[in-house]
Amino acid sequence: MMAGAFDYFQFVLAPQIVIGLVLGVAVILVALGLTIIFGLLDVINMSHGEFYALGAFISVSLAALGVPFWLLLVLVPALMLPIGYAVERLLIQRVFHSPDRHVTTLLLTFGLALVLEDVFRLIWGPNPLRPETPIRGAIEVAGLFLPLYRVFMIGIGALIIIGTALIVYRTRIGAMVRAAAFDRNMAASLGVPVQLVYAGAFAFGVSLAGLAGVLLAPLYSVFPTMGRDFILMAFTVVIVGGMGSIAGAVVAGLFLTQVQAIASLYISPVWTDPIVFGIMVIMLMVRPQGLFGRLGHA
Amino acid sequence: MRDALTTSMRASHWLAALLVVFALITAAVGAAMNDTFYLRLATEALIFAGLALSVDILLGYTGLLSLGQALYFGLGAYISALTLMQVPSFWLALLVALASGLVLGLVGGFIALRVRGVYFALITFGMAQVIAKVIYNTRALGASDGMTGVPIIDVNLGITSISSASPAGFFLVVLAVTMVLYAIAAYLLDTPFGRLLIAIKANDRRVPFLGYKAPTLRLGSYVLAATIATVSGALYPMLRGFVSPELLFFSTSGNAVITVILGGVGTLVGALYGSILLTVLKSVIGSWTEHHLIIIGLLFMGAVIFFPQGLMGVIRPQVAKWLSYRWLSRGGKP
């Protein structure tokens, strides 16, 4: 009886939890950029999923040119920074001061998402691309086989998430970002270059999405609508965790992907999406501010 | 006495009348040329115009951006298809869709209206996503394939009846239903109820001080929008003979938002023109390149930045000016 339960854990439950954990880290990486952009600029970036896809596409193309994976991890986010900066300065800034900024910025980024998705189709074609896994092999931990790349994903993902939180909450730049989110005018009069902070934070968020694209490309296929499929989950994580909260994104990301992983064991996998979105709707009904507070209020 | 809002609504009505004239010419020319493809495309444009109309009631009047209005459109289509498969009656399908629209709108409004702003946009998006996935997974409703085999029906008009298989005939039926939906929306929004919705959009904290309940008004506009979307959705299976879960997906809701922005937010008639504009654009650009989304997307972004009032924002003031001039020259008081 005891052995049966342990076998069940080892061969059924534990692998599913690990799969959920990898997906969780991935979703948090995408949600992190989304939540920083929302917390600071109050902008729902509907094109965030397409920036994630862009990162994946660029990494596939550069890898085909012979650029090693380790270099991509630095190169792609660096390439995404000026793209994000330009998008903020050229597009978001134009409608940032309109009376209903929430709606206009949401619509503008929605339009951008449409354009980007079709541009991907134009450049890279509609069929899924599958890059090679940079780290092969698996290790065995307590009788559990873990593919090395997934272990690496969890590790580097955790590092990036902790690093981002440290930047936001422990550095001078992070303090400026939080000040600008808390009170734009006060921060500006104290000498915080608010415009630069806004564009910089947007670029940082976009670059995080690109990094998630590089990391996830070897696990899931790369195709034009990949951003659209993934962004729903990232939005759910941001809402449940509380828009603009890094800790919230982490907790909600881990929680929701575990719900997804476990639910697909006991109920059919096709029902995990309604469950996760159902949690989001209920959360919005009972506690729209999410589990944790906003970026500028913590 | 006429104020600016009444004048611009009159301008909308003139533009709607112009649209009907154009549609009648289209139907006559189409019937004479024995065309099926373009008439069916125009019919579909009018059906989706109804969905856009419902988005405009929420966005243009009440200031609520719904990213999941396709929920009601798609449910209307499924309800109509199920009804038609049991009893092939046009009026019964429309009536059932209307009644379900009222009930679904009340339920959805009760859930979604607990929050404002971007949260409203996201909760409508989430609700549509949940229901779309449930239908996508339900085998009894055809799952991902949707349901085919919706029978061809005869629309009984008392003196005569029109088959839904007749391209020009069914185009006229859909034109009539869409214009009735427009007329109902325009009438209701021209009453004090409509003015209060505009007041809520402008400043929802002051409205309660005038003695009105903002939540009730908001629910009213939500139910109205949901019902219009459900009824226009009910026409879809009659045209195409099938329904699919895609009707509830985000792309359908997103298209309706694009339609309203391109046509002109808060003008009602802009939703109708926007739907025709978008359909024409898609088929014209689609004949050059398969990447029509790049151009539609750029056009949409351009509209959001440079022409937030859309097509009607450019045209309608001209019509309104002409109407005021006509009114004054007939001895009306300014």
Side-chain angles (χ1 to χ4, degrees), chain A residues 196-231:
Chain A
L196 187 73
V197 167
Y198 279 5
F202 193 90
F204 182 68
V206 164
S207 145
L208 273 178
L211 184 58
V214 182
L215 285 168
L216 283 182
L219 278 181
Y220 309 102
S221 308
V222 181
F223 50 97
T225 56
M226 64 188 283
R228 197 202 294 173
D229 300 344
F230 205 68
I231 196 70

Coordinates of all heavy atoms in Angstrom, one line a residue, chain A residues 196-231:
Chain A
L196 N 12.5 58.9 -19.5 CA 13.5 57.9 -19.7 C 13.2 56.6 -18.9 O 13.4 55.5 -19.4 CB 14.9 58.4 -19.3 CG 16.1 57.5 -19.6 CD1 16.4 57.5 -21.1 CD2 17.3 58.0 -18.8
V197 N 12.7 56.8 -17.6 CA 12.4 55.6 -16.8 C 11.3 54.8 -17.4 O 11.3 53.6 -17.5 CB 12.0 56.1 -15.4 CG1 11.3 55.0 -14.6 CG2 13.2 56.6 -14.6
Y198 N 10.2 55.5 -18.0 CA 9.1 54.9 -18.6 C 9.6 54.0 -19.8 O 9.3 52.8 -19.9 CB 8.1 55.9 -19.1 CG 7.1 56.3 -18.0 CD1 7.3 55.9 -16.7 CD2 6.1 57.2 -18.2 CE1 6.5 56.4 -15.6 CE2 5.2 57.6 -17.2 CZ 5.4 57.2 -15.9 OH 4.6 57.6 -15.0
A199 N 10.3 54.7 -20.7 CA 10.8 54.0 -21.9 C 11.7 52.9 -21.5 O 11.7 51.8 -22.1 CB 11.4 55.0 -22.9
G200 N 12.6 53.1 -20.6 CA 13.5 52.1 -20.1 C 12.8 50.9 -19.5 O 13.2 49.8 -19.8
A201 N 11.8 51.1 -18.7 CA 11.1 50.0 -18.1 C 10.4 49.2 -19.1 O 10.3 48.0 -19.0 CB 10.2 50.5 -17.0
F202 N 9.8 50.0 -20.1 CA 9.1 49.3 -21.1 C 10.0 48.4 -21.9 O 9.8 47.2 -22.2 CB 8.4 50.3 -22.1 CG 7.4 49.6 -23.0 CD1 6.1 49.5 -22.7 CD2 7.8 49.2 -24.3 CE1 5.2 48.9 -23.5 CE2 6.9 48.6 -25.1 CZ 5.6 48.5 -24.7
A203 N 11.2 48.9 -22.2 CA 12.2 48.2 -23.0 C 12.7 47.0 -22.1 O 12.9 45.9 -22.7 CB 13.4 49.1 -23.3
F204 N 12.8 47.2 -20.8 CA 13.3 46.1 -20.0 C 12.2 45.0 -20.0 O 12.6 43.8 -20.1 CB 13.5 46.6 -18.5 CG 14.0 45.6 -17.5 CD1 15.2 45.1 -17.7 CD2 13.1 45.2 -16.5 CE1 15.7 44.1 -16.7 CE2 13.6 44.2 -15.6 CZ 14.8 43.7 -15.7
G205 N 11.0 45.3 -19.9 CA 9.9 44.3 -19.9 C 9.9 43.5 -21.2 O 9.8 42.3 -21.2
V206 N 10.1 44.3 -22.3 CA 10.1 43.7 -23.6 C 11.3 42.7 -23.8 O 11.2 41.6 -24.3 CB 10.1 44.8 -24.7 CG1 10.5 44.2 -26.1 CG2 8.8 45.4 -24.8
S207 N 12.4 43.2 -23.2 CA 13.6 42.3 -23.3 C 13.5 41.1 -22.4 O 14.0 40.0 -22.8 CB 14.8 43.2 -22.9 OG 15.7 42.6 -22.2
L208 N 12.8 41.2 -21.3 CA 12.5 40.0 -20.5 C 11.6 39.0 -21.3 O 11.9 37.8 -21.3 CB 11.7 40.3 -19.2 CG 12.5 40.7 -18.0 CD1 11.6 41.1 -16.9 CD2 13.5 39.6 -17.6
A209 N 10.6 39.5 -22.0 CA 9.8 38.6 -22.9 C 10.6 38.0 -23.9 O 10.5 36.8 -24.2 CB 8.7 39.5 -23.5
G210 N 11.6 38.7 -24.5 CA 12.4 38.1 -25.5 C 13.3 37.0 -24.9 O 13.5 36.0 -25.6
L211 N 13.8 37.3 -23.7 CA 14.6 36.3 -23.0 C 13.8 35.0 -22.8 O 14.3 33.9 -23.0 CB 15.1 36.8 -21.7 CG 16.1 36.0 -20.9 CD1 17.3 35.6 -21.7 CD2 16.5 36.7 -19.6
A212 N 12.6 35.1 -22.4 CA 11.7 34.0 -22.2 C 11.5 33.2 -23.5 O 11.5 32.0 -23.6 CB 10.3 34.4 -21.7
G213 N 11.5 34.0 -24.6 CA 11.4 33.4 -26.0 C 12.6 32.5 -26.3 O 12.5 31.4 -26.8
V214 N 13.8 33.0 -26.0 CA 15.0 32.3 -26.2 C 15.0 31.0 -25.4 O 15.3 29.9 -25.9 CB 16.3 33.1 -25.8 CG1 17.6 32.3 -26.1 CG2 16.3 34.4 -26.5
L215 N 14.6 31.1 -24.1 CA 14.7 29.9 -23.2 C 13.6 28.9 -23.6 O 13.9 27.7 -23.5 CB 14.4 30.4 -21.8 CG 15.6 31.1 -21.1 CD1 15.2 31.7 -19.8 CD2 16.8 30.1 -20.9
L216 N 12.5 29.3 -24.1 CA 11.4 28.4 -24.3 C 11.4 27.8 -25.7 O 10.8 26.8 -26.0 CB 10.1 29.1 -24.1 CG 9.7 29.2 -22.6 CD1 8.4 29.8 -22.5 CD2 9.7 27.8 -22.0
A217 N 12.1 28.5 -26.7 CA 12.2 28.0 -28.1 C 12.6 26.5 -28.2 O 11.9 25.8 -28.9 CB 13.1 28.9 -28.9
P218 N 13.6 26.0 -27.4 CA 13.9 24.6 -27.5 C 12.9 23.7 -26.9 O 12.9 22.5 -27.3 CB 15.3 24.5 -26.7 CG 15.8 25.9 -26.7 CD 14.6 26.7 -26.6
L219 N 12.0 24.2 -26.1 CA 11.0 23.3 -25.4 C 9.8 23.2 -26.2 O 9.2 22.1 -26.4 CB 10.7 23.8 -24.0 CG 11.6 23.5 -22.9 CD1 11.1 24.1 -21.6 CD2 11.8 22.0 -22.7
Y220 N 9.3 24.3 -26.7 CA 8.0 24.3 -27.5 C 8.4 24.8 -28.8 O 9.4 25.5 -29.0 CB 7.0 25.3 -26.8 CG 6.8 25.0 -25.4 CD1 7.4 25.8 -24.4 CD2 6.0 23.9 -24.9 CE1 7.2 25.6 -23.0 CE2 5.9 23.7 -23.6 CZ 6.5 24.5 -22.6 OH 6.3 24.3 -21.3
S221 N 7.6 24.5 -29.8 CA 7.9 24.9 -31.2 C 7.7 26.4 -31.3 O 7.1 27.1 -30.5 CB 6.9 24.3 -32.2 OG 6.9 22.9 -32.0
V222 N 8.4 27.0 -32.3 CA 8.3 28.5 -32.6 C 7.4 28.7 -33.8 O 7.7 28.2 -34.9 CB 9.7 29.0 -32.8 CG1 9.7 30.5 -33.1 CG2 10.6 28.7 -31.7
F223 N 6.3 29.4 -33.6 CA 5.4 29.7 -34.7 C 4.7 31.0 -34.5 O 4.7 31.5 -33.4 CB 4.3 28.5 -34.8 CG 3.7 28.2 -33.5 CD1 2.4 28.7 -33.2 CD2 4.3 27.4 -32.6 CE1 1.8 28.4 -32.0 CE2 3.7 27.1 -31.4 CZ 2.5 27.6 -31.1
P224 N 4.1 31.6 -35.6 CA 3.7 33.0 -35.5 C 2.7 33.3 -34.4 O 2.7 34.4 -33.8 CB 3.1 33.2 -36.9 CG 3.8 32.3 -37.8 CD 4.1 31.1 -37.0
T225 N 1.8 32.3 -34.1 CA 0.7 32.7 -33.1 C 1.1 32.2 -31.7 O 0.3 32.2 -30.8 CB -0.6 32.0 -33.4 OG1 -0.4 30.6 -33.6 CG2 -1.2 32.6 -34.7
M226 N 2.4 31.9 -31.5 CA 2.8 31.3 -30.2 C 2.6 32.4 -29.1 O 2.3 32.0 -27.9 CB 4.3 30.9 -30.2 CG 5.3 32.0 -30.5 SD 6.9 31.4 -30.7 CE 7.5 31.1 -29.0
G227 N 2.8 33.6 -29.4 CA 2.6 34.7 -28.4 C 1.2 34.8 -27.9 O 0.9 34.9 -26.7
R228 N 0.2 34.7 -28.9 CA -1.2 34.8 -28.5 C -1.6 33.7 -27.6 O -2.4 33.9 -26.6 CB -2.0 34.7 -29.8 CG -3.4 35.2 -29.7 CD -4.3 34.6 -30.8 NE -3.9 35.1 -32.1 CZ -4.4 34.6 -33.2 NH1 -5.3 33.6 -33.1 NH2 -4.1 35.0 -34.4
D229 N -1.1 32.5 -27.8 CA -1.5 31.3 -27.0 C -1.0 31.5 -25.6 O -1.6 31.1 -24.6 CB -1.0 30.0 -27.6 CG -1.6 29.8 -29.0 OD1 -2.6 30.5 -29.3 OD2 -1.0 29.0 -29.7
F230 N 0.2 32.0 -25.5 CA 0.9 32.1 -24.2 C 0.5 33.2 -23.4 O 0.5 33.2 -22.1 CB 2.4 32.1 -24.5 CG 3.3 31.6 -23.4 CD1 3.2 30.2 -23.1 CD2 4.1 32.4 -22.6 CE1 4.0 29.7 -22.1 CE2 4.8 31.9 -21.6 CZ 4.8 30.5 -21.3
I231 N 0.1 34.3 -24.0 CA -0.1 35.6 -23.3 C -1.3 35.5 -22.4 O -1.4 36.1 -21.4 CB -0.2 36.8 -24.3 CG1 -0.1 38.1 -23.6 CG2 -1.6 36.7 -25.0 CD1 1.3 38.3 -23.1

